Each structure stands twice: as structure tokens, then as C-alpha cells.
Amino acid sequence: RHRRGHITAMALARQVLCLSAFLWLPLARAEPIRYSVAEEAESGSVVGELAEDAGLTPAQLSARRARLVSEDGRQHFRLERASGRLVVAGRLDREELCAQSATCMLPFELLLSNPLQFFRVEVTLDDINDHSPVFPEELVTFDVLETSEPGSIFPLEVAQDLDIGSNTVQAYSISPENEYFSVSYGSRNNGNKYLELVLEKPLDREEHAEMGFRVVAVDGGSPRKSGGIEISIIILDVNDNAPKFTQERYFAKILENLPEGSVVLTVMATDPDAGVNGDISYQLSQVVGQSDSAFVIDHKTGEIKLTKPLDFEAAQTHELSVRGRDGGGLSAICKVLVEVVDVNDNAPELVVSSFSSPLPENTVPGTVVALFTVRDRDSGANGKISCALEDQLFFSLRPAYKNYYELVTVSALDREETPQYVLRVTAADAGSPPLTSTHTFSVDISDVNDNAPVFNQTSYTMYVRENNVGTVFVGAVSAADADVGLNAKVSYSLAAEQGPERARCSCISVNSENGHVFVLRPLDYEHLRQSEVTVSASDAGSPPLRANVTVRLVVLDENDNAPLVLYPAQESSPAWSELVPVSAEAGYLISKVVAVDADSGQNSWLSYHLLRATDPGLFSVGLQSGEVRLRRPVTERDSVKQKLLVLVRDNGQPPLSATAALSALLLKDFSDVRLPHASPATEDQDASLTTYLILALVFVSLLFLASTAVLLARKVCRRKELKAGHVLYAADTLQSGLAHAAAAGTLPRPYCYEISLTTGSGNSEFRFLKPILPSLPPQHCAVGQGPDEEQDFPAVPVRAEDMAPDNAGTLSAGQFNAL
């Protein structure tokens, strides 16, 4: 039975799903299809050709997913789709299903889908003779006075047979046959059956003090079944009055919640005899087939009390039999009928047949979320149920079929706003007070791809310095998607630009996973100052949604371009000379150095410094303007030919520089711009200068040899580096070195020397320039002359402080060009 109940519960869960379709059934068969089958038929026994009787073919049963659905959820029959036959699903016990009802009918529905249709089917369960007659007692003892007259009656309780019709009790007999007693049975006018022993002839206690026999009840089944009760007759002396109840049938109506020990009613029997023969004791027995007795009787008072609470849902009536026996052995029987009155002691039950969760957020209104049924074991108003859904804007309840309800959506759902709905359905009966039960549905909302990614900024500006290394990280874009799962997984890419003017820059790349933006190759600020690309963020939904954002890459300038001198042109040969009248006053504008820098910002801010001059005290250079002016009036001691080297330096870090070389002729008359020949006084002066030059050359040579020896000694002994020494270069070596320095714009050595012939000298005289400044680290010392131009000025390394305007022109002519 446990296994059969489990199978029935599973079948109920499957079949109840189909009942929601009844709301949309356009037509149903008016008259039910009726069959009959005998109880206890074996599982698989054919009940009838259901498909043929319904006008269907077996193929239609399979195609339309035929199901059997019963109101109580119990499946007693099974439909064979292949043959269309209705067969018995399990053991059928008519007495268990229908008790003592005259007819036992099992109704159910044949439910079809696509299109929906149902047929009402009724199967009548025919009774078979599967129960024997049973007496309430196995042994009954009668004390019979020996003075009893023939015809005396001794009542017995009739035998009970759970079968009906001809299968119930039909006759009684005594076994073995007895000449003193016979059995009499029948029905009275009120419909009550009776069974009595009848005394056929007088008894003689002296002949028989006791006798025993068996009363047998036989039913009308085939084969017949019987049951018996043992009768013991004890012959007594005179007790000629039997007890008599005040009523043949007693009725009581009690509430099912009456507590244990409550008095149901009191029966009463009287006996006119006196003494022991008039003392009556009561005995209680329950009708065969009913559950264990919930009643007990007081043997002396006849009070019937409850031994346990009653349950209206289990049994609505209880029939009791009370025997009253006097002290002389005589007895009488009465019937007690107890009617149980229902109280509202059962809360409604909610049974879910179908429930769909999660729901897609794009579910259309009117979608059925759950199908459930409500029931109450109480009866009348206590069993009437109403259902309500707590305040909800998105769901509602809709009655379906009989006591079935549907939970449906009424408006659009949005997972991003509410990912889960907790719905509470309350079922209440109409009792007083009403009982309620609540069932909670937790409806999860599944995501659909209805939200595109959203960037955390409307646009992005990123910066990179020019001359960057390859694949440098410059920033990141970030987008969020309100969806979940794959619908929220964002990947990044560069969007294709529309039109030739929006061609995508190949130097920018974006990481598809994290949105990091990289510059793939070095950039040049002078060629590309900024670039814009469009980054697209796409989710992994189907179809994917995307969003675009503009990323502007700004290139920051580095000081990677040295100033370029535009004037005076450094490629001109011979060098350009400015004509200066000797009568010019201080502040006279000689020339202007014009230079530009391809960088921007402070990297392009230029300053001009007088680096070298034949007579540094004669000239000044405007720091910002580059204008070359006379610092003082010209004197007769000033050389006619003046050469200047102007340093142009930008404001970058580190600063870059260039040099501009220019010459000036100090003339009295502009008509003759040729250089004058040296006078005898000048020649004498040159002779003395030559002597000094030779002495300086010897000193420098000795100093060079000494420095070389010290350097070698330190290398051998201490293996330490020697600081740079004085180096003397020949004229041809110096010529190439200066040309290299002019091309590179820097002075690579700590000392620079110049060897040149004096202008207008007829002798092979040399002029040497001693180092003016102490040894310095290599500095940029660009020379603007071309490779073929005569190098008349030494490339002197200058420190930053030496190039300040306050130090300009501090070198004397004697220091600058000592002969």
C-alpha cells in the first residue's frame, strides 16, 4: 500500500499539470463514457476500448499527449497509447473505495492537447464476493430458565458482510442441528435486520444443564462464504423477565472537537425482576468494518464516553451496539447512532501543480507562472475557500478550473530593477473563525540582453610623451553593463572610422579584456600632436549590444630638437661680414641672430648668449632678441676684423643649443671694405708675439709629455683612470675636429686649441691660444661654419654660468688671441 500510494502521488503530480488547460477547452463531450469492471481485477486488465469509444485513433492519443486526470489525484486506471485501451492500473478494492455504497463509480477525465479537449469517463466497480460474514462476537452465552416457554426468543447481533447485494448475508443456520433451538432472521418495518434464537421445546435442566452449538451465516456469492458464532446455553432456574431498553435506537450529535472523556449519551434498560435477576450491566460493541472504537460505556450507569477525539473527515457517523444483561442471564440489545458535526479545524491546503522559475525579464504579460489547487477537508462553509495575492503590480491570480488557480504576469518585468519577486498567496476558508494558509512563490527573473554597455566617461583624454618606448600604457577605458553573466561581459575594440578623414591611427591599441590603451610605436610631437580613435565596448549577449566612446591621445613635447639658426646663414662661404663704422656709438645694432626651435612650449623658448668674440668687451647680444650691438664705442686698439660666436640655447631640460658665427669689419670708410696690410709697428708687435708663442708652445709640449707620463704611471701602478690632460692638435687635425664639432653642435673635449696664420703675415708665423678656462666636462660647442671655411676661432668649452649675460664680454683681447 505504501508503494501504491507513492506511485499515486507521482501520478497526481504529473496529471494535475494538465488541468490548467480546461480554461481554454472549446468543447467537451456532453455524455460520459461508461465502463464497468469487477473489483480486485488484476493490474493490466482491460476495462474498455477508450480510444475507439472517444472517436480517436491510438496515433492521435500519442500525438495529442493524452492523459488521465482524476479529481482526487488518484490513478486507478492506465491508458495504453499504443492500443487505445483503458486498463487497470492497480488493485481495486470496492469496500475501501466506496464502503457500503450501493454503487461504486470512479470518475475521471481523458485530457488531450493540441487542440485541448477532454472526455468524461465513469467506471463502475462491480462487487465480488471477497468478504465472509463476520459476527461482532465469537462467543455468546445465554442463561435460559428452564421454565422458558417454547417460542422464547434470544436475540443475536446479525452478521456483517462488507460485500453488497447478493454477496452479502442471505441465510442463517444452526450447526449441528439442534432440536431445542432454531434461528429466525429478517427485517422489521423500520428496516432494521434482526437475528434471533427461538426455543422450540421446553428445556429440562436435569437432563441438560448446558448445551452449545454454532450459528452460521451464509452469503449468496459464488462460491458462497460463511461465518459463525459460538452459542453457549446455560439452563438456569427461573428468571422470567429479560431487560428492556427504553429505546430501540439512540441518536447523538456531537462536535468533532469534543474533548476526550466527554459523555456522548446514556442508554437505559429496565428489568422488573428483583435481586440479581434485575441488576443490569451494559456492554458495548462497534459495528464490524469501522475503525477502533472511540467510545466506552460505564457497565453500571450506561454512560457512553469518548476515549479519543473524533475526526469528522475520517468518519461522519459511528454506529454502536449496546447489550444490557441482567443477573439472571437475560439480555436485550439496542443501537446507538452517533453523528459527528464538522468544526472548522482544518486550514486550507495549497498544492502546486506547476511552477516556472526563473522567468525571462522579457516575458509578455499574461504568462502563466504557476498553477495550483486549493482544498479544505472540512465541509460546508468550513470548506469554501477563497484565494488572494498580496499587493502586487506585476502578478495576479486568475481562477482556472474548479478549485484551480493560475498565477500570471500582468505587466512587463525588469531584472535590473527587481531580480526576484516573493509572492505570497493566502487561502482562507469561510469558517468562523476562518482558517488561512499561506504559500510563498519565489520567482527569479532571468536576464536578457537589454542593456548596452555604458562608459564611465563621455570621452577620454590620454597623454603620452613623444619618443616613447614601444607598447607603452597610456590609460584605460571602462564600461559597465547592467545585465549579468555573458550579457554583462564587456570586451573592448577599436571601432572602424567612417570616411578617409577619420582613418584610425595604427599606433593605438586597446586590450579587449580590461580596456587598457597602449601606444604601439614611438611618436614624434613635430609630426603628430594628437589623434582621436573610437573605442567600442560590446557585451557577449545574443545579439550583442555595444557603445562607443572617443579617446583623444595628446602627444606631449620633449626637448628633442636643437635650435636652428636661420640668420646669419651658416652655410654661406665665405662667412658673412657686417660693416661697422668706427664712429658708431655704444648700442649700435650690428646684426640680429634669428633662430627657431621645432619644439613647443618652454622647449622652444630661446635665449642668446655671446660665446666668443675677438674682443668680448666690444659686443653684447640681446638675451631674448638675439640683437648684436656695440657695447662701447670703437677705439683704435680694436682689431679691424672682429669675429663673434653666438650661442642659441632653448629652455628645455636638458637644454639644447646651437651656435651662430658672424664677423664684423670696423671701417672708417665703407667705400673700401678690404682689410689693411699690417704696419711696421704691427709687424714689430707680431715679432714679439711670435716669441711668446714659441715659449708657450714649448711649455705646452712639456706639460703634455709630463701629463702623458703621469697617466701611464697611474695606469700601471694604480689602474685608475686619469683625468683628461692637455692635448695639442695639429692644424690639420684641429681643422677636422672643429668641423666635426661644428656639425655635431658640441665640443667633445675639455680643451680646444686653434692654430692659424695671422692675417697679412708674410712669415710662417703661428698663433696659439692658451686655454682660457679650467678643464671642464664636455659641453656642446656647435660651430656654424662650413667645412671649407677658415677656422679663425678656437672652440672653447663654456659652462652654463659662463654663458650668462653678466659674463658676456669678460675675456680680454690678449687672452683671446695672444701672439
Side-chain angles (χ1 to χ4, degrees):
R1 287 188 178 181
H2 175 73
R3 181 174 179 272
R4 184 170 68 250
H6 178 67
I7 296 175
T8 303
M10 293 177 62
L12 173 62
R14 293 194 300 268
Q15 303 303 332
V16 169
L17 296 175
C18 301
L19 295 181
S20 62
F22 288 172
L23 289 177
W24 299 281
L25 293 181
L27 294 173
R29 183 184 176 109
E31 291 294 328
I33 302 173
R34 294 186 173 89
Y35 300 102
S36 64
V37 65
E39 70 171 327
E40 304 294 341
E42 294 182 358
S43 177
S45 300
V46 177
V47 179
E49 300 293 336
L50 182 56
E52 180 180 348
D53 296 338
L56 303 170
T57 64
Q60 289 177 313
L61 294 179
S62 298
R64 297 178 65 181
R65 301 195 302 272
R67 297 285 188 276
L68 299 181
V69 180
S70 61
E71 294 180 0
D72 59 358
R74 301 172 63 183
Q75 286 293 352
H76 304 294
F77 304 96
R78 186 176 71 253
L79 176 63
E80 293 182 349
R81 292 186 180 179
S83 61
R85 293 183 298 182
L86 182 68
V87 299
V88 176
R91 176 177 176 273
L92 300 176
D93 188 348
R94 191 200 65 80
E95 288 73 25
E96 179 182 344
L97 297 174
C98 302
Q100 295 296 110
S101 300
T103 59
C104 185
M105 182 180 68
L106 303 177
F108 57 91
E109 287 82 26
L110 171 63
L111 180 64
L112 304 173
S113 302
N114 299 324
L116 296 174
Q117 187 178 8
F118 75 94
F119 297 87
R120 182 75 174 178
V121 182
E122 296 178 355
V123 178
T124 301
L125 198 58
D126 296 332
D127 182 63
I128 63 172
N129 191 27
D130 58 342
H131 293 86
S132 299
V134 177
F135 285 89
E137 299 172 297
E138 294 181 358
L139 173 65
V140 175
T141 300
F142 291 97
D143 295 333
V144 181
L145 292 174
E146 63 178 346
T147 59
S148 297
E149 296 287 333
S152 298
I153 296 174
F154 303 92
L156 294 173
E157 292 186 34
V158 296
Q160 302 291 329
D161 194 327
L162 297 179
D163 297 323
I164 61 172
S166 61
N167 294 326
T168 190
V169 178
Q170 301 295 320
Y172 295 88
S173 62
I174 293 179
S175 177
E177 293 185 0
N178 190 294
E179 62 179 337
Y180 292 98
F181 294 91
S182 64
V183 63
S184 174
Y185 60 94
S187 299
R188 293 189 173 87
N189 294 335
N190 58 8
N192 292 333
K193 294 182 178 181
Y194 66 92
L195 174 64
E196 298 171 341
L197 288 177
V198 180
L199 184 62
E200 296 294 333
K201 67 178 188 178
L203 298 173
D204 187 357
R205 182 181 174 280
E206 285 73 22
E207 186 180 354
H208 297 287
E210 293 182 5
M211 64 177 65
F213 50 89
R214 183 179 178 84
V215 175
V216 178
V218 181
D219 61 25
S222 179
R224 293 188 174 188
K225 294 187 177 183
S226 61
I229 182 174
E230 297 293 333
I231 305 297
S232 176
I233 305 296
I234 298 177
I235 302 172
L236 301 176
D237 288 336
V238 178
N239 179 24
D240 54 348
N241 290 288
K244 184 176 181 181
F245 284 95
T246 57
Q247 298 177 203
E248 288 187 358
R249 293 178 70 88
Y250 290 86
F251 295 92
K253 183 179 291 187
I254 60 175
L255 297 175
E256 65 173 333
N257 60 352
L258 202 66
E260 177 182 346
S262 299
V263 176
V264 177
L265 56 81
T266 301
V267 298
M268 182 179 292
T270 59
D271 192 331
D273 294 332
V276 175
N277 294 331
D279 295 333
I280 301 174
S281 63
Y282 301 92
Q283 295 176 343
L284 181 66
S285 62
Q286 195 162 358
V287 175
V288 176
Q290 294 189 359
S291 60
D292 295 339
S293 178
F295 304 89
V296 66
I297 192 169
D298 190 298
H299 298 293
K300 293 188 175 297
T301 63
E303 284 184 350
I304 299 176
K305 298 180 180 179
L306 290 177
T307 60
K308 62 181 180 181
L310 301 179
D311 188 359
F312 173 85
E313 290 70 33
Q316 300 178 10
T317 59
H318 296 268
E319 185 176 351
L320 311 175
S321 179
V322 178
R323 176 186 293 276
R325 183 192 301 273
D326 61 16
L330 299 180
S331 63
I333 295 176
C334 73
K335 298 294 183 182
V336 177
L337 185 63
V338 180
E339 181 180 354
V340 181
V341 178
D342 181 53
V343 295
N344 193 25
D345 61 342
N346 291 282
E349 300 176 26
L350 192 149
V351 180
V352 179
S353 302
S354 172
F355 177 53
S356 299
S357 179
L359 286 178
E361 62 178 330
N362 60 351
T363 300
V364 297
T367 301
V368 177
V369 179
L371 174 69
F372 60 91
T373 181
V374 291
R375 61 190 179 190
D376 195 321
R377 298 177 60 193
D378 296 324
S379 63
N382 297 331
K384 292 182 179 180
I385 307 172
S386 60
C387 287
L389 177 66
E390 290 187 5
D391 293 341
Q392 269 293 332
L393 299 177
F394 301 92
F395 298 85
S396 68
L397 286 181
R398 184 169 65 188
Y401 172 75
K402 291 185 178 178
N403 55 343
Y404 282 87
Y405 290 84
E406 291 175 335
L407 181 63
V408 298
T409 61
V410 295
S411 59
L413 306 175
D414 187 359
R415 188 205 65 82
E416 287 70 33
E417 181 178 348
T418 307
Q420 185 186 61
Y421 293 88
V422 178
L423 310 177
R424 292 179 177 83
V425 177
T426 301
D429 59 26
S432 180
L435 299 179
T436 61
S437 61
T438 302
H439 187 87
T440 301
F441 294 92
S442 295
V443 182
D444 295 321
I445 307 302
S446 61
D447 184 60
V448 298
N449 194 24
D450 59 345
N451 289 278
V454 177
F455 285 92
N456 60 0
Q457 295 180 211
T458 57
S459 64
Y460 293 83
T461 301
M462 300 176 184
Y463 301 89
V464 62
R465 292 190 175 275
E466 68 172 335
N467 304 320
N468 57 284
V469 297
T471 315
V472 61
F473 172 77
V474 293
V477 297
S478 178
D481 196 318
D483 298 322
V484 295
L486 290 178
N487 296 331
K489 184 177 181 181
V490 179
S491 60
Y492 304 89
S493 63
L494 292 178
E497 303 292 347
Q498 300 296 327
E501 70 283 356
R502 293 285 289 171
R504 188 173 71 189
C505 178
S506 61
C507 63
I508 299 176
S509 175
V510 62
N511 189 303
S512 61
E513 296 294 331
N514 53 28
H516 288 182
V517 179
F518 297 88
V519 175
L520 302 179
R521 57 180 174 82
L523 300 180
D524 188 356
Y525 173 82
E526 287 68 35
H527 291 85
L528 178 67
R529 298 199 173 188
Q530 71 176 26
S531 177
E532 286 188 0
V533 295
T534 300
V535 176
S536 177
S538 176
D539 59 28
S542 179
L545 300 179
R546 66 183 69 250
N548 295 334
V549 71
T550 299
V551 176
R552 184 165 67 97
L553 178 66
V554 177
V555 182
L556 302 177
D557 182 57
E558 290 282 336
N559 191 28
D560 59 342
N561 291 278
L564 176 63
V565 178
L566 301 179
Y567 181 86
Q570 303 301 298
E571 295 79 17
S572 63
S573 180
W576 182 265
S577 296
E578 301 290 339
L579 304 180
V580 180
V582 296
S583 61
E585 298 295 331
Y588 179 83
L589 177 63
I590 299 174
S591 181
K592 181 175 182 178
V593 178
V594 179
V596 295
D597 195 319
D599 296 323
S600 67
Q602 67 177 10
N603 295 329
S604 64
W605 298 349
L606 302 180
S607 60
Y608 301 85
H609 309 272
L610 181 61
L611 186 60
R612 289 183 303 175
T614 304
D615 189 352
L618 184 57
F619 303 96
S620 66
V621 178
L623 181 64
Q624 304 297 331
S625 63
E627 294 177 347
V628 180
R629 297 179 181 272
L630 288 177
R631 191 171 185 179
R632 59 175 174 81
V634 178
T635 66
E636 292 180 356
R637 298 179 59 187
D638 296 326
S639 176
V640 174
K641 184 179 179 181
Q642 297 285 334
K643 292 187 177 182
L644 296 88
L645 190 62
V646 177
L647 177 69
V648 183
R649 183 178 62 183
D650 61 25
N651 197 36
Q653 290 297 329
L656 299 179
S657 62
T659 57
L662 57 97
S663 61
L665 295 178
L666 306 179
L667 301 177
K668 295 180 180 180
D669 186 0
F670 285 174
S671 62
D672 185 8
V673 297
R674 293 177 293 176
L675 290 175
H677 294 284
S679 63
T682 305
E683 290 179 358
D684 294 337
Q685 185 179 7
D686 292 340
S688 62
L689 290 175
T690 302
T691 302
Y692 294 133
L693 179 61
I694 292 172
L695 294 175
L697 180 60
V698 172
F699 175 79
V700 170
S701 298
L702 293 174
L703 181 63
F704 171 76
L705 292 175
S707 301
T708 303
V710 172
L711 177 63
L712 292 176
R714 294 187 65 176
K715 271 190 174 182
V716 172
C717 299
R718 300 182 184 179
R719 296 183 179 274
K720 295 184 179 181
E721 293 184 355
L722 184 63
K723 295 184 179 180
H726 301 285
V727 180
L728 177 64
Y729 295 91
D732 54 345
T733 307
L734 180 60
Q735 182 75 14
S736 60
L738 291 174
H740 173 74
T746 60
L747 294 176
R749 299 174 178 83
Y751 291 90
C752 295
Y753 297 91
E754 178 184 6
I755 303 174
S756 65
L757 294 175
T758 58
T759 305
S761 174
N763 302 326
S764 297
E765 298 174 336
F766 294 90
R767 293 181 181 177
F768 289 87
L769 178 65
K770 295 188 296 182
I772 302 174
L773 301 176
S775 177
L776 297 173
Q779 300 286 340
H780 291 287
C781 187
V783 179
Q785 286 87 347
D788 299 330
E789 186 178 351
E790 179 183 352
Q791 304 297 316
D792 292 335
F793 296 98
V796 179
V798 180
R799 291 175 297 184
E801 60 269 24
D802 297 329
M803 295 186 290
D806 295 337
N807 296 330
T810 58
L811 302 180
S812 66
Q815 290 174 321
F816 182 78
N817 198 11
L819 293 179

